[in-house]
Amino acid sequence: MSGQNTEKQILAMVLLLVLSVASLGAYTWFDNGRRTEARSEILTKDAERASWTFANNCRECHGNDGRGSESDASLVGPALNTPNNTYAFLTDNQGQLEALQNEFRYTITCGRNGTPMPPWSIDQGGSLDGFKIDNLVTLITTNAGNSWEKAVEHAVHLDEVTIENLHTALEAAEATLKASGWFADLDAARGAVARTEAADTDLNDLREAVAAAEESGEGLQEAQDALTAYEKDYTALVLAAVTMRTSDDSAAVADAQATFMGASDVQQDVAMNRAWLKVAADFLTAEDNLVTAEERFAAGLPVPTPATQVTSNTCGQTSAELDDWLSTHTGSS
Ligand code: HEC
């Protein structure tokens, strides 16, 4: 009797043990799933935040969708949105992923000496804190939540606003041109400026003095300072001339006339033609800016044109140190 009971008890215990192991396993599996879900939610939020940072700071070189020079040769930055950069994440290769993330975090923080890639961390004179840089690294190495698509949406929105502003600027420049009664002929305006400047002996003497000082290497600073001081008066006269020709604010026009009448006849002639040149050039520039922006927008390119200034001495590195670093890292451009 008692033997049988013991057997039953043992069986029950074994069953219980099996059940508890199984439920622990099931729970672990369930909890892992939950954790993975939570992790991917965090990654998606981080990458979405970064899509704004990217649209605001990076796309002029790396492209609206992060495909950079791979998508268009006019872009100076390499592709960041490439399968290579998300491969480690998608294949769960944690070591490789961390190495890549460290490399990109370092590059974004410090920039790359001798290339146009600037340093972004606040410590290096940039505009991004560590949190924003980490989010960018997440975007580039995971594309969680398909956030590159969000970056493109932000880019389109930003460029639409820019184009609207360029329309407004062109309208203003056109109104000024119309009010002035001048026509937008740069060659004619330049010719008129040159003709009247030829009669300004003070201006010509000062220019000749600068040219002579450049040749002899002596007294260049003083000669340049004297010319700059003389040109400063012209800046005020040109502004006065523009106001006189284009403003409908009578008090401002009266002020401008008082300034203008204080100058010699020769200076008045020069200032008036320079004012023509300025009004014409402002109009044509506004027109060019809008046309270029609309062309780039239509082509899916970032409206701000790429900067190509070369970065140097980032994070205090010498060029040699940076060369060393680059030679041990793959994927640089
Ligand atoms: C003025 C242009 C410019 C801007 C703006 C710019 N980059 Fe770059 N970036 C570059 C260039 C050029 C390189 C390639 C450098 C090289 O030759 O090693 C580069 C390289 C990189 C790399 C390394 C890519 C690789 O495969 O090794 C990362 C990551 C990067 N940039 C991220 C960013 C981020 C994020 C931003 C915005 C916060 C940004 N860049 C803004 C020009 C730019």
Side-chain angles (χ1 to χ4, degrees):
M1 248 336 196
S2 78
Q4 236 179 15
N5 261 347
T6 311
E7 247 170 57
K8 270 190 187 157
Q9 275 172 348
I10 287 173
L11 192 68
M13 274 167 70
V14 168
L15 263 174
L16 265 175
L17 198 68
V18 167
L19 259 177
S20 70
V21 166
S23 69
L24 190 70
Y27 180 76
T28 307
W29 177 78
F30 169 73
D31 194 43
N32 262 343
R34 260 199 335 194
R35 226 174 307 156
T36 308
E37 207 174 288
R39 182 167 170 253
S40 99
E41 241 171 67
I42 291 169
L43 287 176
T44 298
K45 283 214 173 93
D46 287 353
E48 279 179 358
R49 262 194 299 268
S51 69
W52 260 120
T53 313
F54 183 86
N56 278 319
N57 299 283
C58 319
R59 67 192 176 99
E60 64 181 277
C61 294
H62 291 285
N64 290 342
D65 60 1
R67 286 191 304 123
S69 51
E70 222 167 70
S71 64
D72 191 277
S74 77
L75 300 169
V76 299
L80 303 176
N81 174 10
T82 110
N84 286 346
N85 287 348
T86 49
Y87 183 76
F89 174 72
L90 295 173
T91 56
D92 236 345
N93 188 334
Q94 200 57 29
Q96 202 186 9
L97 179 63
E98 268 169 29
L100 191 65
Q101 291 185 328
N102 285 337
E103 179 184 332
F104 286 168
R105 191 175 299 110
Y106 182 83
T107 297
I108 299 169
T109 301
C110 296
R112 287 222 182 131
N113 229 344
T115 82
M117 173 65 185
W120 289 97
S121 94
I122 290 166
D123 290 346
Q124 301 303 320
S127 55
L128 303 180
D129 59 23
F131 180 63
K132 290 206 168 113
I133 293 176
D134 283 345
N135 289 339
L136 283 164
V137 171
T138 300
L139 167 68
I140 297 166
T141 56
T142 71
N143 186 23
N146 267 331
S147 293
W148 280 118
E149 280 173 18
K150 302 236 162 44
V152 174
E153 283 167 26
H154 300 324
V156 167
H157 171 71
L158 288 169
D159 286 348
E160 277 170 354
V161 172
T162 301
I163 287 175
E164 226 175 271
N165 289 337
L166 290 174
H167 269 292
T168 309
L170 177 59
E171 276 160 27
E174 198 168 12
T176 302
L177 181 70
K178 226 173 181 176
S180 76
W182 283 312
F183 42 99
D185 183 338
L186 284 188
D187 286 340
R190 283 202 192 100
V193 168
R195 267 195 307 282
T196 42
E197 278 183 359
D200 185 343
T201 44
D202 289 340
L203 178 63
N204 291 312
D205 288 350
L206 289 165
R207 282 179 173 168
E208 273 163 31
V210 170
E214 268 168 356
E215 191 122 321
S216 70
E218 266 171 56
L220 184 57
Q221 193 61 52
E222 289 120 76
Q224 273 170 344
D225 288 351
L227 179 59
T228 305
Y230 190 79
E231 282 289 358
K232 211 168 168 187
D233 290 343
Y234 264 133
T235 308
L237 287 175
V238 169
L239 274 179
V242 171
T243 306
M244 282 159 56
R245 293 281 293 223
T246 65
S247 176
D248 50 15
D249 173 347
S250 53
V253 171
D255 272 358
Q257 268 163 348
T259 305
F260 199 72
M261 295 312 164
S264 71
D265 285 356
V266 167
Q267 284 176 320
Q268 287 182 11
D269 287 346
V270 172
M272 197 50 84
N273 285 324
R274 284 193 184 180
W276 173 16
L277 183 58
K278 176 178 158 44
V279 167
D282 284 354
F283 169 73
L284 293 171
T285 305
E287 215 174 37
D288 273 0
N289 288 346
L290 181 59
V291 169
T292 309
E294 279 178 336
E295 276 171 11
R296 290 181 69 84
F297 187 67
L301 291 171
V303 163
T305 27
T308 47
Q309 197 186 340
V310 166
T311 306
S312 65
N313 291 325
T314 54
C315 294
Q317 302 148 343
T318 63
S319 298
E321 278 166 346
L322 204 97
D323 285 346
D324 274 357
W325 184 83
L326 284 178
S327 69
T328 57
H329 288 73
T330 50
S332 56
S333 92

